[in-house]
Amino acid sequence: MSEEKKDFFVSDISLSYQYTAGNATTRFLNKVAEGKLVAQKCPKCSAVYVPPRGSCPRCGVATEEELELPDTGAVESFTIVHIPIPGNPIVPPYVSAMIRLDGADISFLHLIQEIDLADIRIGMRVQAVWKDKSDWGTTLENIKWFKPTGEDDVDPSVFKFKE
Amino acid sequence: MTKSVDKELLRASFKLEYPYERSPGPVIGKFFEELSNEVLVGTKNSKGEIFVPAAEFDPKDSDHLSEFVEVKKEGVVQSYTWIEKPRAHHLIKESFAFALISMDGTNSAMLHMIANCKEDELEIGKRVKVVWNEEKTKTIRDIKYFEIIDE
Amino acid sequence: MKDIYILAYAQNPIVADAKAANEVELIMPVVHQVFKQTGFTQNDIGFTCSGSCDYLQGAAFAFVEGLSAIQTNPPIKESHVEMDAAWALYESILKIQMGDAETALIYGFGKSSPGDLPFVSTLQTDPYYMSPLWPDKTSLAALQAQLLMNNGLLTKKDMYEALTQSISNAKNNPNALVTAMPSEDDYLSADYLSSPLSTYDCAPISDGASAMIIGTEEAAAKLGLQKIKISSVHHSIETSNFGARDLSTSESIIGLGKKINLKSFNLDFAELHTQFSYEIPFIRGLLDLGNIDINLSGGPLAGNVMMAAGLDSIGKSFELLKNSDFHNGLAHASSGPCLQQNMLVHLEKIND
């Protein structure tokens, strides 16, 4: 501790919780445990959400209708992480990307590996690389990372949210 | 992270911690510094009222307080609550009381704990004295608890 | 000053454990209900404001997530208070008084079941002198109750009567959580958590959400509903220097009673945000309420959704005025240890 900080004291705020995932997220994660990516669709604007949170945040209505999406998609955006983050076991540099699954209207954050960092680009087609089935649980960590499929890139205009 | 076996209801237990480094500042810092020397000080306002623990501002008119006075390590119980069975975060694991204690000569009360007594020995108006923690951390916990003065 | 009216109010059934339901799933039903009551959509709302506390469920920025229950396309004017939603109502009233909105949607939600509420509340206290000693919410209230009993201002019998009256009244509220009545023997022989308070004296840990819509006279007139006016609303807070307060009284509550001119109208009932049984006889005395009915809805002792229960006092008063011959109601909201911060609201039925 530095000299000018000698009079500081550390508060020991520590609270225990039993967090619950939410009904929609619970349904989603239970399907993830079976290797399926199940999205939810807005009854008003038809937007497809994965992972679903149980509501369309644009329309403020519940999203009950569910549909299974493939584990393929495209890179909507990405960043190459060069600094180690405390508690994160992944060794930098690595790619964190917003991945838009085929048929979804929002993207989610995941890793991209099995790629030369210089090749990563917006619009690149990717596919999920799943862990061994015996290791699956109710978590998106069932997908180790995404890897390039080698298909032609998609036009970034597809990422525009449909009105 | 442990997962519930209930497939319908996913629960994950976790601990939320905020290990912030807090700066006590010149007034509270001085109070803590003196606690670590086993000395109890308060701050005094222009009317001569004394606040222990040392208040940075007059709770009535918000005047900045900077005059320190040493007070006795004895006081009077203003109110208390007896906890027969201490719960999760309580620092004392045997039955104890939280209490508001007005140190002799002061015009406010300090929240702290009273231990080493039975519930029926405790009442409002009872005289108590400081018991120090051997290990000092320059925090309010340098006072381990209060105990009843045998009279 | 513009006259402001409550147009709609809804409350979820209060439960001890909402299980999987997240903030969005708690909020959405009540928001949809107040829209149904008014015929409004989010496009008719000029300002949206919520009250919640992320520490309750331990999820940082849960209030941002909660916004997913509301239509935000096109973008809306919105704010949030890390307090009871009664203060979100207050901010909404100011927004309307400023002329920046004609209507407002207010909601409050709380999911206390994932954590240890009495100790979560410890974090509200002074981080230098108090929270390192881990005084829990129940123990801080007990310090006040003990002092009142010592001063002859309170008995266990007063507390028992307040409790049984609340539970009996809870039959009027289909959303109440507690309906089982302890016998006097059960009550008096119950072990104290923190003397002189037993579990019976503490509002139950509750999960839920509530919503309200308010509006100007023009907005109220358009709906053609019974007009319930917010005639007066004031709030005040005492020092957080707990030991410097006189806990045998409440300067805040007495002062607010004067500010809303409590003696200037014939009060029919009061809905008080009382999370501990002793607070009912205590506030009755402070405001000189005589034998006025308190907490006809059951109040927080029959279900206490943190960050919504203060708004519920106001909402339940609104419902009572709407559905009875009553004309004047008093609603109270509070926060902080030992009623540190309070709000009083005078609600009035206006007959055209």
Side-chain angles (χ1 to χ4, degrees):
Chain A
M1 204 174 274
S2 61
E3 184 60 24
E4 54 278 0
K5 279 204 162 187
K6 68 180 164 50
D7 288 331
F8 283 55
F9 69 94
V10 178
S11 64
D12 63 349
I13 294 170
S14 167
L15 293 165
S16 297
Y17 293 90
Q18 286 286 330
Y19 187 74
T20 51
N23 284 312
T25 308
T26 298
R27 288 202 302 278
F28 172 74
L29 291 175
N30 280 327
K31 289 294 182 185
V32 168
E34 298 168 12
K36 292 175 185 162
L37 298 169
V38 179
Q40 290 183 1
K41 190 172 181 177
C42 174
K44 270 178 86 178
C45 73
S46 303
V48 173
Y49 295 100
V50 66
R53 296 284 302 170
S55 77
C56 174
R58 301 186 347 134
C59 302
V61 295
T63 48
E64 296 293 337
E65 188 189 336
E66 300 190 333
L67 62 160
E68 189 178 340
L69 297 184
D71 66 355
T72 54
V75 175
E76 183 175 346
S77 189
F78 68 91
T79 184
I80 299 172
V81 182
H82 291 277
I83 34 173
I85 294 165
N88 188 338
I90 308 163
V91 181
Y94 60 89
V95 182
S96 266
M98 293 303 291
I99 291 161
R100 181 78 74 95
L101 290 185
D102 295 329
D105 287 295
I106 57 164
S107 50
F108 60 84
L109 194 67
H110 219 296
L111 300 168
I112 297 182
Q113 306 232 328
E114 303 181 36
I115 187 174
D116 187 333
L117 290 182
D119 287 342
I120 180 74
R121 60 196 179 271
I122 288 172
M124 177 182 247
R125 299 276 305 155
V126 292
Q127 178 162 26
V129 177
W130 295 76
K131 277 186 189 167
D132 192 85
K133 200 170 174 177
S134 59
D135 293 332
W136 285 355
T138 47
T139 166
L140 261 185
E141 288 172 15
N142 291 356
I143 296 174
K144 286 196 286 188
W145 54 71
F146 284 76
K147 67 171 186 189
T149 63
E151 296 163 278
D152 290 345
D153 287 4
V154 301
D155 184 332
S157 68
V158 303
F159 299 132
K160 190 171 167 5
F161 204 95
K162 68 183 168 212
E163 288 300 327
Chain B
M1 203 182 261
T2 56
K3 292 268 161 52
S4 160
V5 289
D6 183 354
K7 197 172 181 233
E8 290 306 306
L9 179 60
L10 297 179
R11 285 193 197 268
S13 61
F14 73 98
K15 206 168 241 185
L16 187 68
E17 293 185 324
Y18 291 100
Y20 290 128
E21 287 182 356
R22 287 192 174 276
S23 154
V27 175
I28 297 172
K30 164 93 172 161
F31 178 79
F32 286 160
E33 182 72 37
E34 294 296 346
L35 280 191
S36 72
N37 301 326
E38 302 198 353
V39 171
L40 206 52
V41 295
T43 43
K44 192 174 182 176
N45 69 11
S46 56
K47 284 173 264 176
E49 292 168 331
I50 298 169
F51 303 97
V52 175
E56 295 169 289
F57 301 95
D58 189 312
K60 284 270 185 283
D61 59 20
S62 307
D63 261 8
H64 189 87
L65 304 177
S66 55
E67 188 188 344
F68 288 91
V69 281
E70 186 175 343
V71 299
K72 270 177 76 178
K73 290 152 212 159
E74 296 179 1
V76 175
V77 175
Q78 300 294 322
S79 190
Y80 71 94
T81 176
W82 184 258
I83 297 166
E84 184 66 31
K85 292 188 187 120
R87 301 181 284 278
H89 291 275
H90 290 149
L91 299 177
I92 298 177
K93 303 303 172 194
E94 310 285 317
S95 301
F96 75 102
F98 276 114
L100 284 167
I101 298 158
S102 187
M103 305 312 294
D104 289 352
T106 69
N107 299 73
S108 66
M110 165 155 62
L111 179 84
H112 220 287
M113 301 170 289
I114 298 175
N116 280 343
C117 66
K118 294 199 182 71
E119 182 180 7
D120 57 13
E121 294 170 324
L122 204 51
E123 59 187 11
I124 290 176
K126 204 84 179 168
R127 293 193 54 76
V128 291
K129 65 177 184 211
V130 172
V131 175
W132 299 100
N133 240 329
E134 260 176 51
E135 191 196 335
K136 301 296 191 290
T137 52
K138 292 188 186 174
T139 68
I140 193 69
R141 292 186 192 165
D142 284 352
I143 296 174
K144 196 172 183 184
Y145 46 75
F146 284 74
E147 63 184 16
I148 293 173
I149 298 172
D150 294 320
E151 285 171 319
Chain C
M1 294 285 273
K2 293 176 190 177
D3 286 344
I4 294 177
Y5 296 81
I6 300 181
L7 308 182
Y9 162 75
Q11 177 186 42
N12 268 344
I14 301 171
V15 293
D17 182 352
K19 305 230 166 99
N22 64 14
E23 47 283 337
V24 174
E25 290 157 341
L26 289 171
I27 298 164
M28 208 181 294
V30 285
V31 169
H32 289 185
Q33 278 180 59
V34 288
F35 282 153
K36 201 172 165 194
Q37 286 175 33
T38 52
F40 285 179
T41 69
Q42 186 69 36
N43 298 328
D44 298 305
I45 299 293
F47 180 60
T48 301
C49 196
S50 60
S52 70
C53 175
D54 292 345
Y55 275 122
L56 291 176
Q57 73 251 54
F61 297 101
F63 74 91
V64 179
E65 200 62 61
L67 200 58
S68 294
I70 309 294
Q71 180 197 325
T72 52
N73 181 38
I76 59 170
K77 278 183 216 168
E78 187 267 351
S79 184
H80 171 263
V81 295
E82 194 82 3
M83 304 172 80
D84 190 284
W87 275 265
L89 168 67
Y90 193 87
E91 183 175 339
S92 302
I93 290 169
L94 296 182
K95 198 80 172 170
I96 294 176
Q97 292 295 1
M98 283 164 62
D100 205 27
E102 292 291 310
T103 54
L105 167 68
I106 300 107
Y107 61 91
F109 66 97
K111 192 172 176 186
S112 300
S113 62
D116 189 349
L117 178 63
F119 287 106
V120 171
S121 300
T122 302
L123 302 189
Q124 279 190 322
T125 61
D126 178 295
Y128 303 100
Y129 291 152
M130 289 179 70
S131 69
L133 303 173
W134 285 100
D136 54 288
K137 177 180 165 128
T138 312
S139 296
L140 290 174
L143 288 171
Q144 186 165 43
Q146 188 87 273
L147 183 63
L148 294 171
M149 284 177 76
N150 185 69
N151 291 5
L153 298 169
L154 178 76
T155 63
K156 279 299 279 185
K157 196 169 170 59
D158 296 335
M159 290 156 73
Y160 178 66
E161 277 171 13
L163 172 70
T164 51
Q165 192 63 58
S166 293
I167 295 173
S168 170
N169 289 342
K171 293 186 185 82
N172 303 323
N173 181 5
N175 300 322
L177 169 63
V178 175
T179 50
M181 183 89 75
S183 72
E184 191 163 357
D185 280 351
D186 284 347
Y187 175 79
L188 292 174
S189 62
D191 288 340
Y192 291 149
L193 286 171
S194 300
S195 72
L197 304 179
S198 72
T199 311
Y200 289 122
D201 296 303
C202 308
I205 306 289
S206 312
D207 293 347
S210 299
M212 183 181 279
I213 292 176
I214 61 170
T216 56
E217 181 148 30
E218 296 72 30
K222 263 188 238 167
L223 292 179
L225 302 169
Q226 170 67 59
K227 283 187 182 170
I228 310 294
K229 185 175 150 187
I230 298 175
S231 290
S232 184
V233 52
H234 289 282
H235 67 106
S236 70
I237 189 167
E238 294 184 52
T239 175
S240 60
N241 187 340
F242 194 71
R245 282 173 60 193
D246 178 359
L247 297 177
S248 68
T249 183
S250 167
E251 284 184 54
S252 164
I253 291 175
I254 291 172
L256 291 173
K258 288 180 187 145
K259 275 203 141 179
I260 68 159
N261 275 321
L262 196 51
K263 295 292 165 200
S264 69
F265 52 89
N266 290 320
L267 183 65
D268 294 305
F269 65 86
E271 285 287 319
L272 307 180
H273 187 185
T274 43
Q275 300 184 64
F276 297 94
S277 61
Y278 81 89
E279 293 175 349
I280 294 175
F282 182 43
I283 298 177
R284 186 190 287 281
L286 290 170
L287 292 176
D288 194 16
L289 295 179
N291 57 3
I292 293 281
D293 283 327
I294 291 178
N295 291 356
L296 287 168
S297 71
L301 290 175
N304 178 41
V305 177
M306 295 299 290
M307 308 301 142
L311 183 72
D312 286 335
S313 291
I314 302 159
K316 290 296 171 190
S317 299
F318 160 76
E319 285 183 340
L320 266 167
L321 289 170
K322 207 174 62 166
N323 303 324
S324 72
D325 295 333
F326 293 145
H327 280 274
N328 290 289
L330 172 70
H332 161 255
S334 72
S335 75
C338 300
L339 301 164
Q340 182 193 358
Q341 185 176 24
N342 299 278
M343 178 185 296
L344 287 186
V345 188
H346 171 207
L347 296 165
E348 196 177 354
K349 179 151 67 190
I350 306 294
N351 292 319
D352 291 321

